[in-house]
Amino acid sequence: MRGFNPVAALQELLESCRVFVEGATDGTGFFVAPGYVVSCAHVAGVEAGLPAQVRWDGQDYDAVVVAASADTPDRSSALYAFPDLAVVELLNPPDDHPCVWLDMARPLQGTELTAVGFTDTLQTCAAAPRRVRLSAGGRTAQASGQLVELVEGEINPGLSGGPVLDHTSAGVWGVVKATRLEDTAMGGFAVPVDALRLIDPEVYRTVIKKHDRFHQSDRRWRVLSDRVEQVPVGEVSEGAFDRHFLGLLSALSDSHDADRSHPAAFLAVAAPGTPLPERPLLTHRDVYTELTALLPPPGGELPYELAFCANLARELAKPPSDASGAATELRDGVLIAAGRLGLGEVVRARLAGDGVPARRPSVIGRIRHSLRDRSLYHVMVWRYRSQHDIVPGASESSALHLREALGLLSDLLAQQIDLMSDTPQRRGLIELILPREVLDEDFAAWKLWPEVGYWSLGRKYDLVVRPLERHEAPRLHAAWEERWRHLEGKRVGEALVCVCGRDRQRQAALDAMFNNDPALAALALAGSPRQSPVADAYMVALTSGVPMMLWRRGSVPGPPVCGSPCGIPGRHACPDAGFLTRAREFLSDTPRDDVPDRICALRNDAEIEAEDEGHIGEHVVLLWDDPGRRIPRTPLVPAAPTEEGQPVE
């Protein structure tokens, strides 16, 4: 006797969601939410407002296209332009129709698939139902996106607009778009359903909420999906876990500022430096599903999607809130899920706000080499309010000579500082991401506001520099993050050691020392990193992940002191006029995150005590490189339409 086959049962349920669409041409569609059908635009129509006819279960229903992607008139391909998707709304839909479960993850190559639609192959009916078994192939690029190849089966024209079921995830991830070659088993192409986010955002938000709410109450697809995943009795499958939380999220209202808040929510919990997804984030569901696609976080940390739900529950619980009931359900769901993972304390801290470290607002400027000519430089600035709220001040500049780049940076910093209101208790923070050859520029003395001639950048603001080379080399980030953590809770004066690059401090020996001691994280350089031999030692420290360094601008180490107690690196003495000793003294009680503020105070002390030419605050440079304050590769928030700043003559 044959046993129950959940995939076969799911294929039958998939067929019951299939509809015949008569629009711009004849083809297939499928129910995704009560009263809503998804199909191809070349089947239903490429313009909102066009009428269509939908046939389901032997009955015809009047319908209208409510959203569709337009075709490109001068396209170079025979295929309709990407994404070639349409949403059709039935004017008087039936009450009892099922809906597919949408899966935003694309299948791995070789995954078994099922597509359903219609065919006239038998020549007895123009719309005979058809089911075809396929496999996921590679990817084929169109102008605005990638199609997934469907292989090992025949795709006939009547299948266009039909759903494609993933046998592994038990969800519909794609829409059949085209055949590769008619009357052959060469397969065809499908559009991922996440491309629905590229058509009308409001229609997408409406449909996806109705989709998730439908599956919260209708158990048909959920029951079969759980059987497909075959998890042990008493355990919850990944699919069931996700469906539960997506249902809870569907009960929440999206922010009126969704285009900005959803990207911000994604970046708030993703690992530092994670770029935004290629598709726009329009709903809570989009944020959740994109977070599930990331590599999992280190052990002992909340899964990113669970951290997102916890953040959302915490924010919704704050008064005034019109979603307290939904927020409570979400909060309870998060607590239960985290408890099963053994992360109850972690999630309780996040729900209370203790697990979300505060970030200090700043203005960040960057100078980077031109890829075509390293003697030229590009300039860009951002306003940083938190890890998930980084606003570019303007588009990146064209390639400029160094003096022009520095002049442009000066102008742009002044503009952005005026736009960024300082926190009440602290001076503003200015972070400059720079290549090594620019580190010794006297940024602290810059006068950004000529009308206030006694203001200097380094005395009015907490000014730090950061190494461009490390930000552009992901392989260096793990050691950087580890050493930054070693400074947490420590007084920097106690952690500070000296590096000069002389005598035994050759690069290989220094590298070996750093390899053996991950706690080496704060250095006092015996001279400028632009001058040998300190330059060699600086590069070893940079590539080893050292996040904090101090030196005196333009200084050069004295003659070699053979037999000095400096060591590799120096812990107790410094041959360069006691710079290490004085730095330790002035930073003796200063924690890691307060060092920029302390250095600014030292610059002001040096100005007050102008007769003391040896004051440590005179010409001091602070490299302070927090790995949690990275600029993502993808812009986070579109800059306001402004003209690019002009370089200083």
Side-chain angles (χ1 to χ4, degrees):
M1 182 176 178
R2 295 180 181 178
F4 175 76
N5 185 329
V7 172
L10 204 55
Q11 288 172 324
E12 292 181 7
L13 182 56
L14 178 73
E15 289 182 324
S16 69
C17 300
R18 168 185 53 195
V19 302
F20 184 74
V21 177
E22 295 179 77
T25 184
D26 294 346
T28 306
F30 53 99
F31 283 115
V32 295
Y36 287 92
V37 164
V38 165
S39 183
C40 281
H42 79 262
V43 172
V46 295
E47 185 179 342
L50 292 175
Q53 197 82 11
V54 170
R55 185 178 308 145
W56 177 74
D57 196 25
Q59 298 292 321
D60 288 337
Y61 297 89
D62 291 332
V64 62
V65 177
V66 291
S69 58
D71 192 24
T72 306
D74 57 347
R75 62 187 186 276
S76 57
S77 168
L79 299 178
Y80 269 63
F82 189 90
D84 189 15
L85 293 177
V87 177
V88 177
E89 183 179 7
L90 278 64
L91 301 183
N92 293 291
D95 295 329
D96 58 346
H97 69 77
C99 299
V100 306
W101 173 260
L102 294 177
D103 177 12
M104 300 301 177
R106 300 171 201 181
L108 298 175
Q109 191 163 341
T111 300
E112 292 187 347
L113 311 170
T114 294
V116 299
F118 298 93
T119 182
D120 59 1
T121 303
L122 300 178
Q123 298 181 348
T124 58
C125 176
R130 180 163 186 256
R131 177 197 298 182
V132 57
R133 187 76 169 263
L134 301 156
S135 294
R139 305 288 189 267
T140 296
Q142 275 195 289
S144 302
Q146 286 191 334
L147 304 174
V148 177
E149 297 171 4
L150 307 175
V151 299
E152 301 176 9
E154 180 185 354
I155 302 293
N156 58 277
L159 281 170
S160 292
V164 187
L165 173 71
D166 183 327
H167 290 197
T168 301
S169 72
V172 169
W173 65 268
V175 182
V176 177
K177 175 180 173 66
T179 182
R180 189 184 299 272
L181 185 63
E182 289 189 36
D183 301 323
T184 72
M186 292 181 64
F189 304 96
V191 182
V193 293
D194 68 354
L196 286 167
R197 283 145 59 180
L198 300 178
I199 54 177
D200 188 307
E202 291 308 315
V203 170
Y204 172 79
R205 291 186 180 105
T206 298
V207 170
I208 211 66
K209 276 190 175 294
K210 290 179 179 292
H211 166 276
D212 288 343
R213 290 174 182 174
F214 172 86
H215 287 286
Q216 273 287 87
S217 58
D218 190 295
R219 301 181 66 251
R220 284 174 284 183
W221 199 287
R222 284 192 287 150
V223 169
L224 293 176
S225 296
D226 292 345
R227 295 289 297 273
V228 168
E229 292 190 70
Q230 296 181 341
V231 297
V233 176
E235 294 188 14
V236 179
S237 70
E238 289 186 8
F241 181 93
D242 291 340
R243 284 188 290 275
H244 173 67
F245 275 100
L246 291 175
L248 294 176
L249 293 174
S250 70
L252 305 175
S253 298
D254 282 301
S255 166
H256 67 278
D257 191 19
D259 290 343
R260 177 166 174 174
S261 65
H262 291 313
F266 174 90
L267 292 162
V269 296
T274 302
L276 283 173
E278 61 176 321
R279 303 279 192 251
L281 298 172
L282 303 175
T283 67
H284 298 311
R285 173 192 242 266
D286 299 339
V287 178
Y288 183 99
T289 55
E290 291 289 355
L291 288 169
T292 63
L294 302 178
L295 287 173
E301 295 185 16
L302 288 173
Y304 297 127
E305 62 274 19
L306 201 56
F308 161 65
C309 291
N311 284 2
L312 195 55
R314 185 186 67 247
E315 292 304 312
L316 289 172
K318 294 178 180 178
S321 173
D322 58 358
S324 56
T328 300
E329 285 191 57
L330 183 61
R331 184 180 187 277
D332 292 345
V334 167
L335 285 168
I336 293 169
R340 288 174 176 164
L341 297 173
L343 299 172
E345 290 301 321
V346 176
V347 80
R348 277 189 285 273
R350 181 173 285 271
L351 286 167
D354 301 332
V356 185
R359 294 289 180 184
R360 186 177 176 188
S362 69
V363 172
I364 300 178
R366 183 185 67 189
I367 294 179
R368 69 169 182 88
H369 301 100
S370 169
L371 296 177
R372 296 183 178 180
D373 184 349
R374 289 184 65 84
S375 69
L376 300 177
Y377 300 83
H378 298 279
V379 179
M380 193 166 179
V381 295
W382 294 263
R383 296 191 303 278
Y384 180 108
R385 294 193 180 278
S386 70
Q387 190 177 3
H388 54 278
D389 185 0
I390 308 175
V391 182
S395 57
E396 191 170 58
S397 76
S398 56
L400 304 169
H401 291 289
L402 181 56
R403 284 296 110 191
E404 293 177 314
L406 290 171
L408 176 57
L409 177 62
S410 174
D411 287 350
L412 295 178
L413 285 177
Q415 296 169 12
Q416 297 308 308
I417 291 171
D418 286 341
L419 292 173
M420 174 73 88
S421 59
D422 297 343
T423 52
Q425 288 80 26
R426 306 184 73 174
R427 285 180 285 256
L429 176 64
I430 310 298
E431 305 175 80
L432 303 180
I433 301 174
L434 307 166
R436 184 175 61 165
E437 64 268 25
V438 188
L439 289 176
D440 250 10
E441 173 72 19
D442 195 0
F443 298 104
W446 275 13
K447 304 291 177 62
L448 303 186
W449 297 272
E451 69 277 11
V452 192
Y454 47 85
W455 277 21
S456 76
L457 185 62
R459 295 200 311 274
K460 190 58 83 172
Y461 297 95
D462 293 351
L463 172 68
V464 301
V465 298
R466 307 177 69 183
L468 174 73
E469 294 81 1
R470 182 154 60 204
H471 285 253
E472 294 187 332
R475 67 184 181 278
L476 305 179
H477 292 179
W480 173 24
E481 292 169 357
E482 182 181 12
R483 293 189 194 277
W484 182 259
R485 285 193 295 269
H486 274 287
L487 284 175
E488 187 171 1
K490 292 183 179 178
R491 303 299 175 181
V492 171
E494 300 170 2
L496 203 61
V497 297
C498 180
V499 168
C500 62
R502 296 178 299 178
D503 306 331
R504 291 181 298 155
Q505 291 191 354
R506 66 188 191 281
Q507 285 187 306
L510 272 176
D511 180 59
M513 186 66 171
F514 283 121
N515 291 340
N516 286 340
D517 191 351
L520 285 175
L523 303 180
L525 304 186
S528 165
R530 293 190 61 187
Q531 305 288 336
S532 294
V534 178
D536 295 335
Y538 167 82
M539 287 308 299
V540 176
L542 173 67
T543 56
S544 297
V546 174
M548 191 179 302
M549 303 184 219
L550 295 92
W551 66 89
R552 295 192 68 176
R553 185 178 60 82
S555 60
V556 180
V561 183
C562 298
S564 76
C566 168
I568 315 175
R571 291 184 179 273
H572 304 294
C574 175
D576 183 32
F579 180 71
L580 172 64
T581 302
R582 284 177 288 156
R584 279 183 158 179
E585 175 186 348
F586 280 99
L587 298 174
S588 60
D589 60 348
T590 307
R592 177 193 69 185
D593 295 345
D594 290 344
V595 173
D597 187 74
R598 181 64 174 139
I599 293 299
C600 184
L602 289 175
R603 292 191 185 107
N604 282 292
D605 289 345
E607 183 65 26
I608 294 169
E609 303 170 21
E611 67 280 0
D612 182 3
E613 295 183 1
H615 195 287
I616 189 174
E618 186 180 20
H619 308 307
V620 68
V621 179
L622 171 63
L623 185 149
W624 185 84
D625 199 19
D626 180 351
R629 304 174 67 89
R630 279 178 250 174
I631 300 300
R633 292 186 296 273
T634 302
L636 305 189
V637 181
T642 57
E643 295 183 4
E644 181 182 302
Q646 295 299 314
V648 174
E649 296 296 335

